[in-house]
């Protein structure tokens, strides 16, 4: 079977949107899973105080979570998503134990592997295991979890981060494909980040569902544009494949625009380019907690990406949460996420990108409304509750 990414329909970008009503969502502060108590069983357990609730079900399943916690104050996209998932479980008053799969938290990958193996044995009494995984995690830890399921007769679920797994699967060597195929078939339920991934892997495992990239509802909103400089935000890894050079070219010499670039640098030549351009500024790496505040001072998010591993970029979902207009590309699964709620351009097309910036500047109110309406399917609390319901409905043979 061959993976065929969905193609966007450029002619559909300017169609009139239907009237979508965004339900009112109360913003909540994420809870750091590090605040959970250590129970001495090879992981981190939700504290007893936080689990007591008159409304909690006495028969709720106990959960074993495998996933990457942040290490050395470095938070990437997958660690942010995993922490959100843990926070949502705390708010749902669910009992769970965390086994950290981030090798940076240990002395090396072998130490991580041995710690996870020990934790799996010590937590064999848990009802459900939810494996929050990267591509390499699936290959190296997935078979161990499949064996754990068989030995202890438990329910296991996989949540795969990012949106390029089908392409990687097809491009891998024979033995890697076989290991991955057999592993995915053993899991009771699979969750993927994009609709294309769901459609592809449903052929291997019929119980495959969408668990998109998600974020919390924000309590800030981006400002309307009235006059003066049009504030453009680029917030991502600062590499050519994320489109930052194309964006610099698009705003070059145009005094209507001011570009703010944020994110970890990977190319010194791009840093020097920013320093030499009058209407561009580099502000360094923004902590995940401060991204929303930066967005609340911007008029548009521009992510003209053609990055190989792109799925549903979390920064676009964060922009939706504050009603910040979005400009991105027709690359990979981005059209699935943005659709008609922003402006999509062809990757590496500077002229089209410049025209998109002008379009949003001239129609800013309309694109603010579209962005705000786009957020509700990506609310983390709702997505977590849907996934939990699917996991708990698994019937053991």
């Amino acid at each position: 079977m061959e993976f065929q990414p969905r193609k966007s329909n450029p002619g559909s970008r300017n169609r009139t949107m239907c009237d979508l009503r965004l339900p009112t969502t109360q913003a909540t502060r994420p809870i750091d899973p590090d605040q959970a108590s250590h129970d001495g069983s090879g992981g981190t357990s939700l504290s007893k105080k936080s689990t007591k609730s008159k409304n909690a079900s006495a028969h709720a399943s106990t959960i074993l979570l495998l996933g990457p916690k942040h290490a050395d104050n470095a938070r990437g996209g997958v660690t942010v998503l995993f922490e959100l998932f843990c926070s949502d479980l705390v708010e749902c008053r669910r009992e769970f134990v965390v086994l950290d799969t981030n090798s940076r938290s240990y002395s090396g990958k072998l130490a991580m592997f041995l710690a996870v193996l020990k934790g799996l044995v010590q937590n064999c009494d848990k009802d459900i295991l939810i494996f929050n995984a990267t591509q390499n995690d699936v290959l190296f830890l997935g078979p161990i979890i499949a064996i754990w399921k068989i030995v202890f007769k438990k329910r296991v679920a996989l949540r795969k981060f990012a949106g390029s797994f089908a392409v990687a699967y097809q491009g891998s060597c024979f033995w890697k494909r076989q290991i991955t195929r057999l592993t995915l078939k053993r899991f009771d339920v699979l969750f993927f980040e994009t609709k294309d991934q769901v459609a592809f892997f449903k052929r291997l495992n019929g119980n495959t569902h969408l668990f998109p990239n998600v974020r919390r509802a924000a309590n800030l909103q981006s400002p309307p544009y009235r006059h003066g400089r049009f504030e453009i935000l680029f917030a991502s890894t600062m590499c050519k494949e994320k489109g930052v050079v194309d964006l610099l070219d698009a705003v070059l010499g145009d005094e209507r625009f001011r570009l703010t670039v944020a994110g970890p640098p990977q190319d010194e030549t791009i840093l020097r380019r920013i320093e030499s351009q009058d209407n561009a500024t580099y502000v360094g790496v923004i902590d995940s907690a401060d991204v929303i505040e930066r967005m609340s001072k911007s008029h548009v998010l521009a992510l003209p990406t053609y990055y190989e591993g792109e799925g549903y970029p979390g920064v676009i979902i964060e922009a939706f949460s504050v009603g910040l207009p979005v400009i991105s590309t027709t690359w990979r699964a981005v059209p699935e996420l943005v659709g008609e709620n922003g402006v999509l351009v062809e990757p590496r097309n500077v002229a089209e990108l410049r025209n998109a910036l002008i379009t949003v500047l001239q129609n800013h109110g309309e694109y603010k409304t579209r962005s705000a309406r786009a957020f509700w399917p990506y609310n983390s609390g709702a997505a977590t509750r849907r996934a939990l319901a699917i996991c708990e409905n698994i019937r053991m043979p």
Side-chain angles (χ1 to χ4, degrees), residues 285-302:
V285 179
I286 299 178
D287 186 86
S288 58
D290 298 326
V291 171
I292 296 299
E293 183 178 355
R294 175 67 64 172
M295 287 182 169
S296 72
K297 299 174 183 177
S298 305
H299 294 123
V300 65
L301 172 78

Side-chain angles (χ1 to χ4, degrees), residues 16 37 91 100 120 123 141 145 178 224 231 243 302 307 315 324 387 397:
T16 303
S37 66
E91 293 194 355
D100 186 7
L120 286 171
N123 289 280
L141 290 176
I145 295 170
Q178 287 297 102
E231 299 289 346
Y307 177 66
V315 70
L324 180 65

Side-chain angles (χ1 to χ4, degrees), residues 87-113:
S87 296
D88 291 335
L89 291 179
V90 170
E91 293 194 355
C92 291
R93 301 291 190 262
R94 301 307 300 271
E95 179 185 346
F96 65 93
V97 169
V98 173
L99 300 182
D100 186 7
T101 59
N102 190 346
S103 59
R104 293 183 180 180
S105 303
Y106 304 85
S107 59
K109 291 184 178 180
L110 178 60
M112 179 274 290
F113 182 83

Side-chain angles (χ1 to χ4, degrees), residues 189-319:
V189 59
L190 307 178
F191 295 100
F192 287 93
E193 188 173 294
T194 69
K195 294 175 184 176
D196 281 339
Q197 304 291 301
V198 170
F200 180 82
F201 286 105
K202 214 174 187 69
R203 301 177 231 177
L204 288 180
N205 187 323
N207 199 13
T208 300
H209 303 270
L210 181 69
F211 195 142
N213 200 336
V214 291
R215 290 296 187 270
R216 290 294 182 107
N219 54 9
L220 295 173
Q221 286 293 300
S222 65
Y225 175 70
R226 294 189 173 89
H227 55 78
R229 287 284 189 98
F230 191 63
E231 299 289 346
I232 304 164
L233 177 64
F234 174 92
S236 186
T237 302
M238 205 170 65
C239 63
K240 186 177 180 181
E241 293 79 11
K242 286 287 187 174
V244 63
V245 175
D246 296 332
L247 190 55
L248 286 164
D249 290 339
V251 303
L252 180 63
D254 195 327
E255 293 302 314
R256 291 173 294 180
F257 301 133
R258 178 160 50 205
L259 171 62
T260 298
V261 177
Q266 289 193 352
D267 190 333
E268 290 295 324
T269 61
I270 297 176
L271 271 177
R272 290 194 292 270
R273 166 71 189 276
I274 295 170
E275 292 170 357
S276 68
Q277 192 161 318
D278 291 338
N279 63 346
T281 305
Y282 178 58
V283 295
V285 179
I286 299 178
D287 186 86
S288 58
D290 298 326
V291 171
I292 296 299
E293 183 178 355
R294 175 67 64 172
M295 287 182 169
S296 72
K297 299 174 183 177
S298 305
H299 294 123
V300 65
L301 172 78
L303 185 70
T305 180
Y306 51 96
Y307 177 66
E308 184 67 26
E310 206 72 82
Y312 285 3
V315 70
I316 291 180
I317 297 170
E318 287 166 331

Side-chain angles (χ1 to χ4, degrees), residues 65-207:
L65 291 183
L66 272 69
K69 296 172 67 177
H70 71 271
D72 301 326
N73 296 319
R75 282 180 168 86
V78 296
T79 59
V80 168
L81 285 173
F82 185 59
E83 288 179 357
L84 273 176
F85 190 58
C86 293
S87 296
D88 291 335
L89 291 179
V90 170
E91 293 194 355
C92 291
R93 301 291 190 262
R94 301 307 300 271
E95 179 185 346
F96 65 93
V97 169
V98 173
L99 300 182
D100 186 7
T101 59
N102 190 346
S103 59
R104 293 183 180 180
S105 303
Y106 304 85
S107 59
K109 291 184 178 180
L110 178 60
M112 179 274 290
F113 182 83
L114 293 175
V116 169
L117 193 60
K118 178 182 177 182
L120 286 171
V121 174
Q122 292 178 330
N123 289 280
C124 62
D125 60 327
K126 300 299 180 287
D127 299 314
I128 301 174
L129 183 152
I130 303 177
F131 182 29
N132 300 263
T134 63
Q135 180 178 319
N136 286 334
D137 293 337
V138 173
L139 184 62
F140 294 107
L141 290 176
I144 303 300
I145 295 170
I147 294 170
W148 184 88
K149 164 192 165 58
I150 296 169
V151 171
F152 297 108
K153 296 180 173 56
K154 301 293 183 178
R155 294 170 285 177
V156 296
L158 167 69
R159 178 192 182 187
K160 171 64 181 64
F161 295 124
S164 60
F165 192 44
V167 174
Y169 172 81
Q170 289 180 299
S172 60
C173 64
F174 174 78
W175 70 268
K176 285 185 178 181
R177 282 199 309 274
Q178 287 297 102
I179 291 174
T180 302
R181 184 178 64 84
L182 294 173
T183 298
L184 296 184
K185 284 187 171 185
R186 281 293 181 183
F187 276 73
D188 295 298
V189 59
L190 307 178
F191 295 100
F192 287 93
E193 188 173 294
T194 69
K195 294 175 184 176
D196 281 339
Q197 304 291 301
V198 170
F200 180 82
F201 286 105
K202 214 174 187 69
R203 301 177 231 177
L204 288 180
N205 187 323
N207 199 13

